[in-house]
Amino acid sequence: MASAVSLLLSPPRPLGRVAPPHLARPAPPACLPILLVPARETSRVRLLAPPPRASNQNDNNNNSGAVEAPDRLVAAVAYLYPFLDGVHHGRFLLAQFPLFSTLLSPLAPAARLFRSSPFTPLLLFLTLYFAVVRNQQAFSRFVRFNAMQAVALDVLLIFPDLLAQSFAPSTSRGIGFELFQSMESTVFLFLLVCLVYGGGSCLLGKTPRLPIVADAAERQVM
């Protein structure tokens, strides 16, 4: 009886407070190491990364100083081949406007040499295609691309030549003759523009892209 009374009169013991499970702070797992990379190290890695390089095609088109002088000269001379092969299409225009004959008089020796033999155009065609366009060891891509454009432009001359032989009017009068004369003058002016634009761009170290033939030349030059 006395022991029971002493238990009732004794002060209550403090009980340990248990936190609810949703408020408990989870302990970090001991098996996963925490890797911390300082900010200084990340900046050092970024500085060591190499800068992006520009493509070779943009270098050839925009950086004229990268093209050497011999390559510019050879590429510009290649555009003389289709012009000399199709200069006969300008006979009507040269007769009407003697100024064109005066401006083109420096090319007269080259034209006479080009017409000296019937095999000269074929030999120049084979030389440009096999000795220049396909010769990756001796010539740069700049020279080979422009030579291929000149060759492709000369191949296109087959169509106006066939039209001139098939539909040439028998008389120098009438609407048929006027249409034929306009077609011949248009072909000649197109060749003259290609010569001036292509040759001038090559002398400046720029890569010209002629209409119709530029995509075909791009596929042939590797």
Side-chain angles (χ1 to χ4, degrees):
M1 187 67 180
S3 60
V5 174
S6 61
L7 289 175
L8 293 175
L9 295 177
S10 59
R13 296 180 179 178
L15 300 177
R17 304 178 65 181
V18 181
H22 66 278
L23 297 178
R25 183 177 300 174
C31 60
L32 297 177
I34 301 176
L35 300 178
L36 298 178
V37 179
R40 184 179 301 175
E41 296 295 332
T42 58
S43 62
R44 184 180 301 175
V45 173
R46 292 177 182 176
L47 290 177
L48 293 178
R53 297 181 59 184
S55 61
N56 294 331
Q57 184 176 1
N58 294 333
D59 292 341
N60 291 336
N61 292 337
N62 300 327
N63 190 7
S64 59
V67 183
E68 298 180 355
D71 291 345
R72 301 184 188 187
L73 183 60
V74 173
V77 171
Y79 288 101
L80 284 174
Y81 168 61
F83 178 77
L84 295 177
D85 197 15
V87 71
H88 59 275
H89 292 284
R91 58 186 181 272
F92 300 109
L93 191 64
L94 295 177
Q96 293 179 1
F97 301 96
L99 179 61
F100 283 98
S101 300
T102 304
L103 295 176
L104 298 177
S105 58
L107 300 179
R112 287 194 296 267
L113 181 63
F114 188 85
R115 297 295 177 184
S116 61
S117 173
F119 300 103
T120 303
L122 179 61
L123 292 177
L124 287 178
F125 178 86
L126 297 176
T127 302
L128 279 177
Y129 186 75
F130 290 103
V132 179
V133 176
R134 293 300 182 183
N135 195 351
Q136 301 182 14
Q137 290 77 17
F139 296 98
S140 63
R141 190 184 186 279
F142 178 82
V143 176
R144 293 186 292 111
F145 175 76
N146 287 282
M148 188 61 216
Q149 282 198 130
V151 170
L153 189 61
D154 185 73
V155 172
L156 288 180
L157 290 177
I158 296 176
F159 299 102
D161 289 342
L162 291 177
L163 290 176
Q165 294 176 5
S166 302
F167 301 99
S170 57
T171 62
S172 58
R173 295 179 182 180
I175 188 172
F177 176 76
E178 293 180 358
L179 291 176
F180 176 75
Q181 184 177 357
S182 300
M183 183 194 70
E184 291 283 276
S185 300
T186 301
V187 173
F188 174 77
L189 290 176
F190 178 72
L191 293 175
L192 181 61
V193 170
C194 291
L195 173 64
V196 174
Y197 170 66
S201 299
C202 290
L203 292 177
L204 294 176
K206 305 295 183 180
T207 302
R209 295 188 62 87
L210 301 181
I212 305 174
V213 299
D215 294 335
E218 193 74 35
R219 289 191 295 268
Q220 291 292 328
V221 177
M222 295 180 292

